[in-house]
């Protein structure tokens, strides 16, 4: 009896220690996550916040939930959630594009790019609310002035949806998705597309968790493979100048960020930044092609993945990332452009802000 009388308090003390050491932090952490910590940087403010966020979100999904914050999570991918689109915002962006095109002497071409949410919306649970991204792209194209040539790519990408054209954990298309769009776009620009067999493919990483994984703190979807494409016996870049936000200029030896290529830890979470144009205001590219044709590419970060393919057809390409650059940057350029190509994703169109920085 004496042993039993002494053993009970020991069990109580052990249980109390467990609660203090593990139970209370877990309860407090989950409570913080429920109040929004899982949606942003607040997860980092909670001890083991990232781990708690993933654990909590896993429980929600297993209990029948299908969303984390503003992101749908299916069995094999993540998709951005949109309930509806603001028509006034869309028209605001299109008005900016129309005004820009009216002031240009070179022909202007428009490409509205679907996101993964637009291509794979049918994989969502039945009756899951999701705005019609295809209708958004059609509406935007219909509102363009007649002197802007619309290049429709949604139907081509949708037909290829069973192939690896979009990342599973990221809003962007893969390099193969960008190549698939390039084949349609370049024909409308007056060139013949290069065949897939002309490119040497390098597997950069198979461990990429993209922007949607980072946003939700959920990393249980199979990570993505990131590939680099290089045209064999094709046109070479002779000069690549990268313009930073502070105005400084650097020379690059590749269309890809070679330092990032060698950093496995960063690649796991930043692999899409392998394209310098993804977050640099401007690139100026010269090639060894002597056809006298110069392209102005105005794009958000989606267009960055198309650049390695477009360089095969132009003596020069000036790339402006409209989400990073000042809107008056175009006025400072001295080139006589042969063509102007605008590449704009559905998310940018829906946001209504073509340029990230207004003219000063």
């Amino acid at each position: 009896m004496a042993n039993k009388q002494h053993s009970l308090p020991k069990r109580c003390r052990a249980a109390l220690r467990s609660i203090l050491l593990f139970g209370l932090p877990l309860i407090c952490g989950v409570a913080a996550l429920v109040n929004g910590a899982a949606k942003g940087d607040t997860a980092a403010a909670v001890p083991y916040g990232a781990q708690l966020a993933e654990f909590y979100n896993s429980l929600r999904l297993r209990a029948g939930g299908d969303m984390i914050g503003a992101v749908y999570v299916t069995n094999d991918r993540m998709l951005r959630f949109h309930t509806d689109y603001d028509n006034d915002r869309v028209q605001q962006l299109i008005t900016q594009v129309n005004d820009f095109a009216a002031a240009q002497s070179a022909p202007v071409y428009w490409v509205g790019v679907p996101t993964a949410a637009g291509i794979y919306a049918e994989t969502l649970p039945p009756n899951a609310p999701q705005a019609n991204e295809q209708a958004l792209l059609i509406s935007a194209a219909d509102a363009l002035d007649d002197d802007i040539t619309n290049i429709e790519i949604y139907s081509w990408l949708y037909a290829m949806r069973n192939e690896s054209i979009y990342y599973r954990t990221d809003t962007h298309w893969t390099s193969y998705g960008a190549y698939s769009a390039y084949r349609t776009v370049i024909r409308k620009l007056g060139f013949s597309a290069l065949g897939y067999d002309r490119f040497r493919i390098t597997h950069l990483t198979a461990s990429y968790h993209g922007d949607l994984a980072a946003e939700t703190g959920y990393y249980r979807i199979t990570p993505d493979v990131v590939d680099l494409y290089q045209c064999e016996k094709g046109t070479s870049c002779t000069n690549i100048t990268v313009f930073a936000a502070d105005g400084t200029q650097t020379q690059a030896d590749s269309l890809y960020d070679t330092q990032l290529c060698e950093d496995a830890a960063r690649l796991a979470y930043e692999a899409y930044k392998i394209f310098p144009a993804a977050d640099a205001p401007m690139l100026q590219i010269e090639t060894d092609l002597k056809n006298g044709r110069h392209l102005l590419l105005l794009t958000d970060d989606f267009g960055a993945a198309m650049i390695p393919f477009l360089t095969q057809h132009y003596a020069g390409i000036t790339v402006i990332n409209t989400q990073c650059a000042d809107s008056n940057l175009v006025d400072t350029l001295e080139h006589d452009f042969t063509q102007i190509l605008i590449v704009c994703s559905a998310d940018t169109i829906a946001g209504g802000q073509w340029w990230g920085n207004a003219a000063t």
Side-chain angles (χ1 to χ4, degrees):
M1 287 294 292
N3 290 338
K4 291 186 178 180
Q5 289 175 350
H6 289 292
S7 63
L8 183 58
K10 288 183 179 179
R11 292 197 188 99
C12 291
R13 288 197 297 270
L16 182 59
R17 282 197 299 269
S18 297
I19 291 172
L20 291 174
L21 290 173
F22 303 106
L24 287 179
L26 178 61
I27 293 170
C28 293
V30 170
L33 295 173
V34 170
N35 286 314
K39 297 180 181 179
D41 293 339
T42 47
V46 179
Y48 302 102
Q51 293 86 343
L52 287 170
E54 186 167 359
F55 174 71
Y56 171 68
N57 289 326
S58 297
L59 290 180
R60 289 181 57 196
L61 296 173
R62 291 185 180 184
D66 53 26
M67 292 187 67
I68 302 175
V71 177
Y72 280 112
V73 180
T74 69
N75 289 334
D76 59 355
R77 69 173 56 249
M78 297 175 163
L79 300 173
R80 173 77 64 205
F81 167 71
H82 291 289
T83 54
D84 203 354
Y85 298 115
D86 186 330
N87 291 330
D88 290 338
R89 287 188 175 186
V90 175
Q91 187 56 53
Q92 174 182 303
L93 183 142
I94 296 301
T95 297
Q96 295 176 41
V97 172
N98 286 337
D99 291 346
F100 167 81
Q104 307 307 311
S105 57
V108 178
Y109 301 80
W110 163 270
V111 180
V113 182
T115 67
I119 296 297
Y120 299 103
E122 63 184 21
T123 66
L124 295 174
N127 302 318
Q130 181 74 345
N132 188 331
E133 194 173 283
Q134 183 183 21
L136 167 72
L137 295 174
I138 292 173
S139 175
D142 288 344
L144 294 170
D145 287 345
D146 291 340
D147 57 352
I148 300 175
T149 301
N150 175 51
I151 305 177
E152 192 273 332
I153 63 172
Y154 180 94
S155 58
W156 297 99
L157 293 172
Y158 182 78
M160 300 178 63
R161 63 191 181 280
N162 293 327
E163 301 188 40
S164 298
I165 57 173
Y166 283 84
Y167 296 116
R168 291 183 292 269
T169 66
D170 195 291
T171 52
H172 297 95
W173 51 19
T174 63
S175 291
Y176 182 61
Y179 169 76
S180 302
Y182 145 81
R183 291 186 302 179
T184 298
V185 171
I186 204 65
R187 286 195 290 266
K188 294 292 185 178
L189 293 174
F191 300 93
S192 296
L194 297 185
Y196 185 74
D197 58 353
R198 291 282 304 276
F199 294 90
R200 176 168 55 85
I201 301 172
T202 301
H203 297 297
L204 182 63
T205 179
S207 303
Y208 178 49
H209 292 97
D211 56 3
L212 295 179
E215 177 180 332
T216 60
Y218 186 77
Y219 296 95
R220 299 197 178 188
I221 298 293
T222 304
D224 287 297
V225 176
V226 178
D227 293 330
L228 303 185
Y229 283 55
Q230 183 176 357
C231 183
E232 298 200 322
K233 299 180 180 179
T235 298
S236 298
C237 295
T238 57
N239 185 67
I240 303 170
T241 305
V242 181
F243 294 76
D246 61 3
T248 59
Q249 304 177 24
T250 57
Q251 297 301 120
D253 56 4
S254 171
L255 290 172
Y256 301 107
D257 185 336
T258 52
Q259 289 186 340
L260 182 55
C261 286
E262 299 171 357
D263 192 333
R266 285 184 60 202
L267 283 175
Y269 302 100
E270 301 180 32
Y272 196 76
K273 291 183 179 180
I274 197 69
F275 309 104
D279 59 3
M282 185 167 72
L283 267 68
Q284 288 188 330
I285 303 167
E286 298 174 6
T287 75
D288 58 6
L289 192 60
K290 306 299 183 183
N291 63 0
R293 300 177 70 88
H294 199 118
L295 175 72
L296 172 60
L297 174 61
L298 301 174
T299 182
D300 54 22
D301 54 3
F302 262 81
M306 292 184 65
I307 295 172
F309 309 112
L310 295 173
T311 56
Q312 298 302 306
H313 304 277
Y314 292 92
I317 299 179
T318 296
V319 184
I320 296 180
N321 186 327
T322 60
Q323 301 300 288
C324 301
D326 291 330
S327 57
N328 58 4
L329 181 59
V330 176
D331 298 332
T332 68
L333 302 178
E334 298 178 355
H335 285 289
D336 292 326
F337 297 106
T338 309
Q339 294 168 312
I340 300 173
L341 176 63
I342 300 172
V343 176
C344 205
S345 72
D347 280 349
T348 297
I349 297 170
Q353 190 171 1
W354 186 29
W355 292 95
N357 301 307
T360 56

